Amino acid sequence: MINNTTNPVLIFLSAFVVNNIVLIRTIGLCSFFSMSNSLKSSLNAAVPIVCVNLAATILSWLFYNLALIPYKLEYLKLVSFVLIIVLLVQIQEFILKKVLANYFSTAGNSLSVITANCIILAVLLLNTEYKLDLVNSIIYSLGIAFGYVLAIILFAGMKERVGSAPIPKALKGYPIEFILAGLMSIAILGLRGLFGL
Amino acid sequence: MLQNSNLNAFLSRIWRANPVVVLMVGLCPVLAITTTAYNSIGLGAAVSFVLICSGLTISLIRKFVPNEIKIPASMVIIAFYTTFVDYFIQAYFIELSAYLGIFIPLIMANCLLLNSSEIFYSVKNSTTHSFLDAAGFSIGFSIVILLIGSLREILGSGAFMGQQLFQEPVNVMVLPAGGFLLIGILLGILNWFRSRFSEKNDK
Amino acid sequence: MDYSPILILGALGFTVALVLTGIHCFPGFESVHSGNGACEDPKQNPENISAVIYCAGGNNCSDKYAYQGVETCFAASKIFRGKKECIYGCIGFGDCAQACAEGAISHVKGEIPAVNKNTCTGCGLCVSACPKKIISLVPSKYDVHIKCSSLNAGRYVREICATGCISCGICVKICPTKAIKIENNLAVVNYNKCSNCGLCVERCPANTIERILPVV
Amino acid sequence: MNSKILIKTAASSLKLAFLCMISALLISQLYLAIEPVIKQRKTETLILLYRQVLPNSAWFENKTAGNREFIAGFDKQHVQRGKIVKLNVRDYNGDIEILFGVDQENRILGIKILNADFRINLEDDSSKSDFFKKFIGLKFHDLKLEKNGKDISIIPGADVSSKAYIKALKKAVEEVESINATEQ
């Protein structure tokens, strides 16, 4: 559990490894499994998520604290957060299509995956649950986004190795990927209790 | 003919195009919450409610929504039903809400829902078709999470629906890592069955 | 009665929709966006297009010889124009599925690859990858396709392929909009006239005509 | 940019705004209807919890003694039968809240753990409640937790948790003693 009095470094570490969003909280698995076929495609999924995450955190924090809380409308947070995420994802899609046409052709479908990515919504909801202030929530969301990047890059590397390994026929593809993710999760579990986070 | 294709689509969602085991969508809650069978029944009911209601609503208002705002519109509809389910569970199933926690609002961001809302927009034969589609999806989803939930409860805490079965269980199965491992092994067994049956069919 | 939730969420929705539709028409962005912009006239722009594979043979089409070698359509097509008796048909090693950047083509060895209409962007990579040139790009609103490319005579097609077009002409007679014609022993749909009615799908004696709906 | 585009943009924006307004209206009505139920349920479950910790009391009241907060339990004749102390302890799994129920003769009647994160806990709750069972029914002077007194040994081979609970127990004893001191 973290709150505003926790040291910012610990907030970052808690989100980054100790409570890793993919491996411990098991959020955002769809893109984790579908976009990690190679290092390049995993980066293609990771970079937009980091950007959208940051922007969405700032915008939604402002909206939540300046518009919803003063009028006691906390129950509208889900609808408004979702609208903000859709807005940001669409804007980013257009920017990528226009400015980085080359990038977009390689990123392909990943953008529609981001729209449905649970991570961004989860970050916004966790921020409101812990009642973090603006700076801390930015730190927390960055920690979660980088935790996702770490997990997906490690996973892509492992998948490439496993692709050339002799494994039973029935386990090829998704089954062995799930087992790999389980082993990674056990490894990260070893950090539990670090600084009492 | 039309009836038949509807029914086929409905049945295929349960087995051939099962959302969790085959299409690999909507995985997040599957892993996080299925530690007991009771939780998975709760989650399955919540997801089914949101899926079916939003499918019907989207297919009804499809004609009035222009193309540019169809994603935000469907998201608003899904979010509305998710909020409804969230408060309902908080009011009447307080134990369940303590366990499900953040994952009830996260139903909203489930890839399953977004994918199927795309389908509800594109499908031509309107309401009945999208209702059957959503119903098939939710039944397939619920069956799989019920299976995983009861397996994890039996292995991980040595109990089924709260009834203690044996002592000293394999605690790792309750942790997220156990969920990953169990789903991996389950998918492997399914693959093995599938390859066996298809071989038999060939002969 | 408290109106603040309605006002605040309405304002948020209004701004979101304003930005989203505005961005479609923003100068410089129109060129990027095809088909569904608010500011574009659908008649002038190409619609959503997706690839269609004009062959239904696969395992229904008999083999000329047992091919053992590099498992790509390109390599197989170099030896006696492919292993299938039908020199026009799909070889079935899935070069198109390999070439597809979106993963929209799913393929099982020996069978005809299936194109997912939802994810196909109509980029045309598969068209250039196919050595038999039986893939073409068609607006995705048309569902009914005559899945054969064979210019062989009907009697010969009947011998080698269970699902080839035998140019019987039933579809030509039944089509309410006169969209189908037989040219060089092959029935061809004129998509500009096609109304997606699907009458020909049920009446085709060789099951060559298929309705391809968007899949998940 | 011409007038047609503007009209189309405005129309679609208004449509989404209309949709949002409808859903906001419905959600706010729903919230108004369901919020009292949620509050009532929460207090009911809280009272159930208190009853488990302090079985001899019928109703409960929040009180403060000095700067410390506690929950006093009364029976049907409005006689105070015990008190409940709420404590925050930093555990291996993060922060947890523990409820201690103590009667008027300073005997421990029940211990209950709140707020543990169920999904990512390393150990199940049954082991914790077994651990706490041996303290129930003991009086404070039976468990002198100081070094020279009769000490409760930490479970051999256990992890941070049991140390944390011993610490919590000591804290609770201190808390109750200071509350008693301020009351008298």
Side-chain angles (χ1 to χ4, degrees), chain A residues 24 26 29-30 75 116 118 170 182 186, chain B residues 28 31-32 87 109 111 176-177 180 191:
Chain A
I24 302 293
T26 61
L29 291 173
C30 301
Y75 51 87
C118 328
I186 291 178
Chain B
C28 327
L31 270 153
Y87 284 117
C111 319
F180 279 118
N191 271 357

Side-chain angles (χ1 to χ4, degrees), chain A residues 1 11 29 36 51 61 65-67 70 78 88 92 94 98 107 111 123 129 145-146 148-149 152 159 163 168:
Chain A
M1 287 290 177
I11 290 181
L29 291 173
S36 57
C51 305
W61 192 91
N65 283 283
L66 300 183
L78 192 62
L88 287 172
Q92 184 179 31
F94 280 106
K98 188 65 190 169
L111 290 161
V123 171
E129 195 183 311
F146 284 125
Y148 177 80
V149 176
I152 200 170
K159 252 169 112 169

Side-chain angles (χ1 to χ4, degrees), chain C residues 144-159:
Chain C
V144 180
H145 308 287
I146 300 179
K147 299 199 73 175
C148 186
S149 310
S150 166
L151 303 182
N152 290 322
R155 187 188 286 170
Y156 180 64
V157 173
R158 206 192 291 253
E159 279 171 19

Side-chain angles (χ1 to χ4, degrees), chain A residues 88-178:
Chain A
L88 287 172
V89 169
Q90 296 273 321
I91 288 175
Q92 184 179 31
E93 187 176 339
F94 280 106
I95 291 174
L96 285 182
K97 266 185 181 174
K98 188 65 190 169
V99 182
L100 300 169
N102 203 8
Y103 173 86
F104 188 76
S105 69
T106 55
N109 281 341
S110 72
L111 290 161
S112 61
V113 175
I114 297 168
T115 324
N117 200 308
C118 328
I119 289 179
I120 299 166
L121 190 63
V123 171
L124 305 186
L125 291 173
L126 285 173
N127 278 338
T128 54
E129 195 183 311
Y130 294 144
K131 298 191 177 71
L132 295 178
D133 58 21
L134 185 54
V135 179
N136 279 343
S137 54
I138 288 173
I139 291 172
Y140 189 70
S141 76
L142 275 182
I144 279 188
F146 284 125
Y148 177 80
V149 176
L150 175 82
I152 200 170
I153 285 176
L154 287 178
F155 192 59
M158 279 165 73
K159 252 169 112 169
E160 278 177 6
R161 283 295 283 270
V162 165
S164 59
I167 44 173
K169 207 178 174 184
L171 286 182
K172 260 183 190 151
Y174 278 115
I176 195 74
E177 287 169 19
F178 270 92

